[in-house]
Amino acid sequence: ILGLIRQRFDGVPHYLCEAKAEPGNHGLVQISPTLQATFANINQKHGGRKPHFVDIFLNTNKYKNWQVLYEAWLSEDGGRLYNKRNKGVLLEAPEGTKIEIPNDNFIWLSLYQIKILLHEDSWINPHIRGILAHV
């Protein structure tokens, strides 16, 4: 699941992103979606902790006032990886909803800020671009 939470602050949409260090990242850290997890991670098959915010994306029906803005299966790297796909989800929380941020790796960014960061080499993870391309 590649999930992005959007919430408006003073009417301006912001996206909850995570700075993530992953093997293969150019420059080590990239700005990633709110949730970026395989089903093995989600189901804790390797014994790790459950990913932050996973319950929101798996149980959208519990969040009555939240809106699913986008949900679709996306091919991995434009279909370059055979039969690999990710579920892309964009959820909007009602303005003023209290969302607990688990650590300093998470930050709210406006679309303008994300666009500015796209000018930097490899700062924005391609999964954010894939989800926001449908907005």
Side-chain angles (χ1 to χ4, degrees), residues 77-92:
D77 287 336
R80 186 180 66 142
L81 302 175
Y82 184 70
N83 280 337
K84 176 82 164 109
R85 62 187 191 151
N86 300 304
K87 186 177 188 179
V89 181
L90 177 60
L91 299 177
E92 183 159 17

Side-chain angles (χ1 to χ4, degrees), residues 3-7 14-17 33-35 53 56-57 66 89-93 99 108-109:
L4 197 54
I5 293 175
R6 180 169 95 174
Q7 185 175 31
H14 283 70
Y15 301 87
L16 185 57
C17 301
T34 312
L35 174 65
F53 303 105
I56 294 172
F57 289 95
W66 291 49
V89 181
L90 177 60
L91 299 177
E92 183 159 17
I99 297 174
W108 290 101
L109 296 172

Side-chain angles (χ1 to χ4, degrees), residues 7-104:
Q7 185 175 31
R8 294 174 187 271
F9 296 96
D10 295 325
V12 178
H14 283 70
Y15 301 87
L16 185 57
C17 301
E18 181 181 14
K20 256 188 143 142
E22 294 184 300
N25 282 355
H26 178 77
L28 192 61
V29 175
Q30 288 185 335
I31 306 298
S32 303
T34 312
L35 174 65
Q36 179 180 312
T38 65
F39 288 105
N41 297 133
I42 291 167
N43 296 315
Q44 297 174 282
K45 295 289 186 189
H46 310 297
R49 69 160 174 77
K50 196 167 239 187
H52 299 295
F53 303 105
V54 70
D55 292 327
I56 294 172
F57 289 95
L58 291 179
N59 301 298
T60 55
N61 57 333
K62 286 186 183 177
Y63 297 84
K64 301 280 185 229
N65 297 327
W66 291 49
Q67 186 177 4
V68 177
L69 300 176
Y70 176 77
E71 183 173 5
W73 286 98
L74 306 167
S75 63
E76 176 77 17
D77 287 336
R80 186 180 66 142
L81 302 175
Y82 184 70
N83 280 337
K84 176 82 164 109
R85 62 187 191 151
N86 300 304
K87 186 177 188 179
V89 181
L90 177 60
L91 299 177
E92 183 159 17
E95 189 164 352
T97 301
K98 174 79 171 121
I99 297 174
E100 188 174 326
I101 307 300
N103 58 51
D104 291 340

